[in-house]
Amino acid sequence: MKAVNQPIMKKDAVSLVTGQPVYTEDIAPKDCLVVKALRSPHAHAWVKSVQADAAKKVPGIACIVTADDVPHTRFTIAGQTYPELSPYDKLILDKHIRYVGDPVALVAGVTEEAVDKALRIIRVEYDVLEPLLDFTKAKDNPIVVHPEEDWNPVVDVGGDNKRNLVAQAEENWGDVEGTLASSDIVIDRTYHTKQVQQSMMETFRAYSYKDMYGRLTIVSSTQVPFHVRRIVATALEIPKSQVRVIKPRIGGGFGAKQTAVMEVYPAVITHITGKPAMMIYTREESMTVSSPRHEAAVHVKVGASKDGRIRVISVESLWNAGAYGDHSPTTVTLSGHKSIPLYNQFEAFRFAYEAVYTNTIAAGAYRGYGATQGIFALESAVNELAAALQMDPVELRLKNMVRQGETMPAYFDETALSCTLDQCLLRVKDMIGWDEKYPRKVLPNGHIRSVGLSLAMQGSSISNVDVASVTIKVNDDGFYSLNIGATDMGTGCDTILAQIAAECLQCPVDNIVTYGVDTDTSPYDSGSYASSTTYLTGKAVEKTCQTLIQRMKERAALVLKPAAIEDLDFTGEAIVDVVSGKAITIKDLGNGAMCGNEIALEATESHYSPTSPPPYMAGAAEIDLDPETGHIELVDFAAVVDCGTVINPALARVQVEGGLVQGIGMALMEDVTITETGRIQQNSFMQYRIPSRMDLGSIRVEFAPSYEPNGPFGAKSIGEIVINTPSPAIADAVYNAVGVRFTDLPITAEKVYMTLKHKQ
């Protein structure tokens, strides 16, 4: 292959590194109104009155909008395929305040200074209520977060707003209780993971304007342009035909921008005033009123025989949805569906879950999408099982892991058509030097070196739901336009999809021009989430290329006049009649199609997948722990990934490295804490620590490719799985170092020190 499996440079690399104006704020009109929100300081309250007359008189203020001035149709800001599983529980502005930061009013003015002054002048009278902050006590609590009668679950997922339930369900396969009772050993533990922030460099931002036809246009840094169109239209009670969404380059998303956190705010200002309006979230807003990962409590039971065969797995997940149900019904399902199937030799499994409302920030989508919490819990339990059996964790996993060709009852009965998980584990074992280092060594300075490991899986798009569409056309001189609805959020999908097209069309990647998303002109795509783009949109590219080649042959036949169109062969540079030897170049074909032609040299195809092939990986950590202080230094992290065929090894490696760093942050330092009044204490990078290069030792990445028959050129996804192994691997390394099993993340030096002190 000449284009696929090649480390080709990203198409936007030069623009980005030379600081070209490519991002949302760079290209906004200079006369945009500045939009900001007045936010509640209370976690739970009713707005009794808003006194804004004096603020409206501040020079430069265009309007101040309250709950009385906006439509009252409930909607969800979760960017998901319609009908969304997330409940319609939100208003643009609501008098019922449900968390610290819920917006009370929007202020729009010609300058930031005028808006800030107006925000200081507005006076709000609240009826302050007791907040519900403990998600473990939320179900059936007397404090009801969403008592409204028009709470609208578009799809029944077991929710009940009067019980603070967003969603709930239970799935049993086999005799779970009987198998647990007859198991030789049972690990029964609850693991707790906290909120984690996506921390992308570009914060949330969007601007809006009315076009020459009076339609509302929104330019947004979003992963889901087509869903933003639906969300804004629903919220403003206007037809979708009156809304257009354009996506420029995005400065990171990691799932945060799968939620339309703020697009509706500038949109409603433009809708009311007719003027361009722009909203840019500060870092504080991005950390306190956005869509972080769900806090979770995951109760795991693993029953096994003395020889190490895992006979039964039970996973019960409790999710803190926060004030709104965005993504909760879907994220929580991955905690079991993408952890339990790692082991496939069991006799029974159970997966039960609940997601509950509280008066805290609403959680949303974050890389890993719920699998991260579930894998931390189950992989930690498997490591505990290995310790209880006095068995090497590698040996235990090799006895029980899923293998290629097996049907997975815990994964919707899908068959693992491509799986090199065993190779991933054996290779990562060698990379980390497991046999020499497991479980620990005490160094002359008193520090302890130890290792731990974990497995992970994810999916590739949402089966039978996600849709990707692609349009490719032949232009003058034979270059191609690749029009996609998928969003490149820095991952390089514009380049990867061009590589797949170039391989199909047998041309250089530079001969493929990729266009970003404009909902008026781009073919429909569900959006860049759920690890779907390379697998799903890539397959749509393949199908479209095949159709386009057929169209080019039909056009060439008018010139070459073969006996049958089957006599024509596409070589990449020309179409050749294999019988007569006559040929026409793609360049001449493209130019000739511009005159006297009835055959359009373009094609559009859509694709969905009935399966969601899991990528797999193994990760291993080596740490240096100082028992005097509790400080943990990550010495080395080795990872081996099975993502099918690697389309672009350079970009895939960067994806793995970036995801590992985020997972390491979750394991060791990222710690969102909420006060007794519901306020988030970490609202900047001064308080909220994410890993820097100085916090990491070496990170080494290799691939153990498989061939996925349903993917483009055998490819599967890679974007999300890479965040999932660090937490359980590092937690196990800490256990191997000091004999203490930490079930709460993050594992900070303070926790280790205090635990060791208490133990002594």
Side-chain angles (χ1 to χ4, degrees), residues 329-660:
T330 41
T331 52
V332 70
T333 63
L334 271 62
S335 63
H337 288 144
K338 293 181 179 172
S339 60
I340 300 172
L342 281 167
Y343 303 99
N344 205 45
Q345 316 309 318
F346 47 66
E347 302 161 39
F349 79 87
R350 172 192 294 135
F351 175 42
Y353 60 83
E354 293 177 341
V356 293
Y357 285 117
T358 62
N359 292 118
T360 61
I361 182 175
Y366 183 6
R367 192 179 206 167
Y369 205 75
T372 311
Q373 296 97 313
I375 287 173
F376 167 65
L378 180 57
E379 283 297 278
S380 293
V382 170
N383 282 326
E384 289 198 55
L385 176 63
L389 291 168
Q390 297 183 326
M391 180 180 287
D392 188 314
V394 175
E395 182 186 349
L396 178 63
R397 286 179 166 86
L398 288 172
K399 277 179 177 282
N400 294 283
M401 68 168 55
V402 63
R403 307 275 180 162
Q404 183 163 308
E406 291 182 356
T407 298
M408 299 173 283
Y411 194 63
F412 314 110
D413 284 329
E414 282 194 21
T415 299
L417 298 176
S418 54
C419 176
T420 56
L421 182 58
D422 52 346
Q423 296 176 34
C424 293
L425 179 59
L426 292 173
R427 179 58 191 146
V428 87
K429 174 175 176 271
D430 289 341
M431 288 172 69
I432 205 70
W434 185 264
D435 289 339
E436 298 79 37
K437 298 174 181 175
Y438 174 76
R440 66 180 172 275
K441 286 184 178 178
V442 180
L443 303 182
N445 63 0
H447 289 202
I448 304 170
R449 288 286 179 100
S450 61
V451 292
L453 56 77
S454 167
L455 305 179
M457 63 174 286
Q458 200 81 31
S460 299
S461 81
I462 304 174
S463 57
N464 294 308
V465 174
D466 287 341
V467 173
S469 305
V470 168
T471 298
I472 305 177
K473 70 176 181 178
V474 184
N475 299 284
D476 314 35
D477 290 351
F479 76 93
Y480 299 97
S481 301
L482 173 62
N483 200 349
I484 60 174
T487 295
D488 190 334
M489 51 182 161
T491 55
C493 80
D494 285 0
T495 307
I496 289 166
L497 297 173
Q499 287 180 251
I500 294 171
E503 194 67 48
C504 295
L505 297 169
Q506 302 176 50
C507 68
V509 176
D510 288 343
N511 219 32
I512 309 287
V513 179
T514 311
Y515 289 97
V517 187
D518 178 337
T519 57
D520 270 8
T521 58
S522 301
Y524 177 78
D525 192 288
S526 306
S528 290
Y529 59 84
S531 296
S532 64
T533 305
T534 298
Y535 173 74
L536 199 73
T537 313
K539 197 66 180 178
V541 170
E542 261 193 9
K543 292 170 67 173
T544 308
C545 288
Q546 292 164 4
T547 302
L548 181 62
I549 290 170
Q550 185 63 26
R551 291 271 166 79
M552 286 192 283
K553 287 181 177 179
E554 292 171 7
R555 171 65 189 168
L558 299 177
V559 180
L560 302 177
K561 302 187 183 308
I565 204 163
E566 290 75 19
D567 294 337
L568 296 179
D569 184 31
F570 176 78
T571 68
E573 294 183 349
I575 292 179
V576 180
D577 184 341
V578 296
V579 176
S580 69
K582 293 191 295 185
I584 180 170
T585 65
I586 303 303
K587 175 180 178 180
D588 290 341
L589 194 70
N591 290 331
M594 306 291 173
C595 181
N597 176 37
E598 291 184 328
I599 299 176
L601 292 185
E602 68 177 49
T604 299
E605 294 290 348
S606 292
H607 182 67
Y608 84 100
S609 176
T611 62
S612 178
Y616 298 96
M617 78 176 289
E622 180 182 2
I623 65 167
D624 182 300
L625 192 149
D626 181 354
E628 295 294 327
T629 64
H631 176 71
I632 300 168
E633 179 182 347
L634 182 68
V635 178
D636 187 18
F637 200 96
V640 181
V641 185
D642 162 22
C643 59
T645 299
V646 184
I647 301 294
N648 187 319
L651 296 181
R653 184 177 303 280
V654 172
Q655 284 263 28
V656 181
E657 292 173 348
L660 290 174

Side-chain angles (χ1 to χ4, degrees), residues 263-278:
E263 284 85 348
V264 72
Y265 301 140
V268 74
I269 295 298
T270 295
H271 185 61
I272 292 172
T273 66
K275 297 179 180 179
M278 180 163 66

Side-chain angles (χ1 to χ4, degrees), residues 132 134-143 163-165 356-358:
L132 171 57
D134 185 345
F135 76 109
T136 65
K137 301 176 181 175
K139 188 171 74 170
D140 296 325
N141 194 292
I143 301 171
R163 301 181 64 200
N164 288 326
L165 273 173
V356 293
Y357 285 117
T358 62

Side-chain angles (χ1 to χ4, degrees), residues 35-39 103-107 119 265 279 285:
V35 182
K36 293 192 178 186
L38 179 70
R39 299 186 179 279
V104 175
L106 298 173
V107 179
L119 285 169
Y265 301 140
M279 192 171 200
E285 286 177 306

